[in-house]
Amino acid sequence: MEHPDLHSAVTDAANDIAEMEIRGAATIADAAAAALGEQAESSAADSPEAFRVEIRTAARRLHETRPTAVSLPNALRYVLRGMRGDTVEELRESVVESAAEFRRELDQAQDNLGRIGANRLRDGDTIMTHCHSTDALSCVEQALEQGKEIHAIVKETRPRKQGHITARQLRDWGVPVTLIVDNAARRYLDEADHVLVGADSIAADGSVINKVGTSGLAVNARERGVPIMVAAQTLKLHPDTMTGHTVEIEMRDEREVLSLDEREDVGDVTVENPAFDVTPPRYVDAIVTERGQFPPESIVTLMRELFGDQQGGEPWDEPEL
Ligand code: RI2
């Protein structure tokens, strides 16, 4: 019972999340919930206690992959809170249903968020994007469905160039795309009506934790008078920050910055590769969620409403009786 067998759906999802084969805060949450559901479905646990240990162990394995996007622990917590029953069968059913319900709500929330965010985009507007965010793209998709014409300036987003994913998606939707290197962003801000980004976590003070480079973009956009719009489902709200915790910024491998050959060429220097940064609330105009849009300073009101007094804690903590 110490080391329950983990289903390959869990170990594969965990590896893919760590390697960023599965990436993007909402997509990671969806994959983690699906994997927990599969673990429950195929569990061979011979007692309710063994089943609970198995599901909690799977949740831990999924959680230890990447530290910054709170959508991951929020998803695990949602599924684990739905685990109920006195028999293995009842427990199994509850986890499978809880995982499926989470995934349905995730889809629904993203659509609702998109409809709200689309109202900020006017016919003929140009957006500037950073990285790849399904929440941000949902706003564009809904604006297009409303018949608006949208143009996009897409930052490539070093080091992993996830801007290319955004460029491909927008191109598929028929949006005219101009791809630029990150360093050209300030120059092209004069042509943008909005900066539109997603978030991995939102802190209680309205700070936005998103792909590294977001904060510099936000400062430049403010200086140029271009509004910054952050598309983030409530799944991105970080409950622990209500009690003063800060969000851990993931540091990734230097190989994403320098190839082996480049490394050899450059020689003995230190390479730092933070995946995210923190944009203070004063540089953000609106946080768009599926529950409406908020000035960043007032997001704490929504967090109190959603989380009440309950703190985050580890997703696999035993519920207090
Ligand atoms: P959605 C991504 O992180 C980006 O920072 C993006 O803005 C954020 O997740 C939110 O993505 P990474 O996983 O949930 O690429 O909006 O490091 O899809």
Side-chain angles (χ1 to χ4, degrees):
M1 203 149 109
E2 282 284 292
H3 299 287
D5 283 343
L6 292 183
H7 191 279
S8 61
V10 169
T11 50
D12 288 353
N15 291 337
D16 286 351
I17 292 169
E19 295 301 322
M20 292 181 66
E21 294 295 325
I22 295 173
R23 53 147 295 280
T27 310
I28 289 170
D30 184 60
L36 275 190
E38 290 203 44
Q39 181 74 46
E41 202 140 21
S42 67
S43 171
D46 54 10
S47 71
E49 186 45 27
F51 182 89
R52 285 199 182 87
V53 169
E54 184 178 318
I55 297 299
R56 291 203 175 102
T57 305
R60 259 175 203 271
R61 176 75 188 88
L62 290 160
H63 186 249
E64 68 195 13
T65 51
R66 294 188 75 193
T68 304
V70 74
S71 52
L72 176 54
N74 281 349
L76 299 171
R77 195 175 296 117
Y78 184 107
V79 177
L80 262 66
R81 286 204 175 130
M83 180 160 69
R84 291 202 177 84
D86 299 323
T87 66
V88 170
E89 263 329 298
E90 285 169 3
L91 289 165
R92 184 197 315 279
E93 217 171 283
S94 69
V95 172
V96 169
E97 177 48 34
S98 181
E101 183 180 82
F102 173 83
R103 301 183 73 198
R104 283 196 299 273
E105 286 183 10
L106 184 73
D107 269 357
Q108 188 61 53
Q110 194 164 71
D111 286 352
N112 293 346
L113 172 157
R115 267 189 289 279
I116 293 167
N119 292 328
R120 295 184 72 88
L121 307 177
R122 294 157 306 181
D123 189 24
D125 274 357
T126 297
I127 55 166
M128 182 179 284
T129 64
H130 184 64
C131 200
H132 169 257
S133 155
T134 55
D135 280 354
L137 284 176
S138 177
C139 303
V140 181
E141 188 178 21
Q142 298 288 341
L144 295 172
E145 275 180 21
Q146 292 168 3
K148 294 172 185 166
E149 191 182 314
I150 304 292
H151 297 250
I153 301 166
V154 173
K155 294 178 71 209
E156 69 173 353
T157 317
R158 281 276 288 153
R160 295 183 68 110
K161 296 186 177 167
Q162 292 133 310
H164 291 193
I165 310 170
T166 303
R168 277 198 302 274
Q169 177 64 82
L170 290 171
R171 184 210 60 204
D172 286 352
W173 287 340
V175 172
V177 170
T178 304
L179 184 72
I180 59 169
V181 298
D182 296 318
N183 290 339
R186 189 162 185 272
R187 178 189 167 104
Y188 285 90
L189 272 169
D190 286 341
E191 296 175 21
D193 300 294
H194 313 263
V195 165
L196 171 56
V197 296
D200 295 79
S201 286
I202 305 276
D205 70 350
S207 297
V208 172
I209 295 88
N210 192 46
K211 182 60 52 182
V212 70
T214 303
S215 64
L217 175 61
V219 171
N220 280 328
R222 176 51 50 87
E223 190 252 342
R224 291 276 164 128
V226 183
I228 293 257
M229 162 180 175
V230 176
Q233 300 178 49
T234 53
L235 182 67
K236 318 287 177 65
L237 302 177
H238 203 309
D240 293 347
T241 60
M242 294 182 76
T243 46
H245 286 75
T246 50
V247 178
E248 182 184 343
I249 300 294
E250 176 183 9
M251 301 299 287
R252 295 193 60 85
D253 199 280
E254 68 166 47
R255 203 59 49 74
E256 294 180 343
V257 180
L258 289 178
S259 67
L260 279 179
D261 284 350
E262 287 169 333
R263 180 42 145 156
E264 204 152 299
D265 194 40
V266 172
D268 186 19
V269 298
T270 303
V271 176
E272 295 272 332
N273 184 20
F276 303 102
D277 66 19
V278 182
T279 302
R282 65 182 177 279
Y283 296 109
V284 175
D285 289 273
I287 297 175
V288 179
T289 77
E290 76 278 15
R291 307 270 297 235
Q293 41 182 316
F294 298 81
E297 293 79 7
S298 70
I299 202 76
V300 67
T301 315
L302 177 63
M303 289 175 77
R304 282 202 199 102
E305 192 186 311
L306 291 173
F307 303 132
D309 288 336
Q310 102 206 348
Q311 295 188 9
E314 303 291 10
W316 46 83
D317 284 349
E318 299 275 356
E320 281 176 34
L321 297 174

